[in-house]
Amino acid sequence: MMSSCHVSITGEVIADGTDFRNNAHLRFKADIFVPCGGRPEAINISNVSRLIDHDGKPHFKYIVEGANLFITQQARLFLEKRRVVLFKDSSANKGGVTSSSLEVLAGLGLSDSEYIEHMIFKDGKPSSFYESYVKDIQAIISSNASLEAGCIQREFQRLNGSKPRTLISDELSSKLNDLQAELESSDLFGDIASRRGVLGRAIPQTLVKQAGIDTLLGRLPEPYQRALFSSWVAAHFIYKYGVNGTSVNFFNFARTLAEGA
């Protein structure tokens, strides 16, 4: 019986294509590695050493974990000890959640007739509103990613590299979640000027221009408004002041929320 095998572009004989696919990330070298899919825990403490050469040089200078849970926590810390600049999934992979949330927002903020006119493709083509809305979402995702990466890097530098970016990212996520929960149950949302100012910035401008902020505030369910308000305030406060922002910092930050209302 003849066996089937393949030859890679490097001349390596590949006896098992499935094994090659599942372990390709352990074979290659590059400046930047951005895993955006694959099996959970594909890089773990039992195989992470295969990403380090015999002379101690990592296969990748930078890793941005676009796929959730692609690397285990132990493996991340192992790589960071070897000077790999690594941004973990919880910080690097928020775009999908943001996109989905803002897609729901369009459904809530537009009337049925507006949604059909602006969000449904006609003859396979999107409306100008749809194209503009997509660009807004992309800009928001890009801005948030830049702000989060900058926040992590500033904290890393402040500590002179003594705390891995992985742990800073965990702390950042915890602070964001805790502050958002506090804000959702606080009285700050009840300040109309602050609410209008925040939601006027948090909602994509294409939607604001189409429906108007007053109409949107009338259409959007209050729990959704409160969640959007709290998440925007929490994120932008922490992105500005870092994980060690003080009560005085928040007081000064809160005074700016009504801008543009």
Side-chain angles (χ1 to χ4, degrees), residues 40-80:
E41 302 185 359
I43 298 176
N44 53 68
I45 199 62
S46 65
N47 64 17
V48 67
S49 60
R50 293 173 60 183
L51 295 179
I52 309 297
D53 286 341
H54 294 301
D55 60 0
K57 184 179 180 180
H59 290 188
F60 309 110
K61 295 179 181 178
Y62 303 90
I63 297 178
V64 181
E65 197 176 0
N68 281 332
L69 306 176
F70 190 82
I71 308 174
T72 66
Q73 187 79 340
Q74 285 181 305
R76 294 184 189 113
L77 297 175
F78 177 94
L79 289 167
E80 288 211 61

Side-chain angles (χ1 to χ4, degrees), residues 2 6 29 43-44 53 63 69 72 87 97 104 112 117-118 131 138-139 145 182 190 200 213 233-234 237-238 245:
M2 295 182 63
H6 305 275
K29 298 179 182 180
I43 298 176
N44 53 68
D53 286 341
I63 297 178
L69 306 176
T72 66
F87 289 93
V97 174
V104 170
D112 290 347
E117 178 182 356
H118 297 300
E131 291 180 323
Q138 291 172 331
E182 288 183 34
I213 190 64
V233 173
F237 170 72
I238 290 177

Side-chain angles (χ1 to χ4, degrees), residues 64-212:
V64 181
E65 197 176 0
N68 281 332
L69 306 176
F70 190 82
I71 308 174
T72 66
Q73 187 79 340
Q74 285 181 305
R76 294 184 189 113
L77 297 175
F78 177 94
L79 289 167
E80 288 211 61
K81 284 183 179 179
R82 276 109 189 129
R83 298 188 177 182
V84 175
V85 178
L86 189 150
F87 289 93
K88 65 172 294 187
D89 52 1
S90 59
S91 287
N93 192 21
K94 293 183 176 179
V97 174
T98 301
S99 178
S100 298
S101 175
L102 295 178
E103 184 178 1
V104 170
L105 174 59
L108 294 172
L110 296 172
S111 66
D112 290 347
S113 60
E114 288 172 331
Y115 190 88
I116 292 171
E117 178 182 356
H118 297 300
M119 294 296 289
I120 304 299
F121 281 31
K122 305 294 190 303
D123 298 322
K125 296 181 180 180
S127 68
S128 58
F129 172 92
Y130 186 97
E131 291 180 323
S132 179
Y133 195 65
V134 168
K135 289 179 181 178
D136 282 351
I137 293 174
Q138 291 172 331
I140 290 171
I141 292 171
S142 179
S143 175
N144 288 345
S146 178
L147 290 170
E148 178 136 350
C151 184
I152 292 171
Q153 189 63 16
R154 287 195 305 274
E155 182 67 4
F156 181 81
Q157 292 173 341
R158 186 184 73 83
L159 298 172
N160 295 316
S162 62
K163 178 182 285 189
R165 292 178 182 84
T166 291
L167 298 184
I168 295 173
S169 177
D170 289 341
E171 184 179 7
L172 179 64
S173 295
S174 178
K175 293 281 187 180
L176 279 169
N177 292 335
D178 290 347
L179 181 55
Q180 181 176 347
E182 288 183 34
L183 288 168
E184 285 193 24
S185 59
S186 75
D187 296 332
L188 187 57
F189 178 77
D191 183 79
I192 302 300
S194 294
R195 186 193 312 177
R196 287 175 58 88
V198 169
L199 295 182
R201 283 173 279 181
I203 297 172
Q205 290 306 296
T206 298
L207 183 56
V208 174
K209 291 176 183 177
Q210 172 62 38

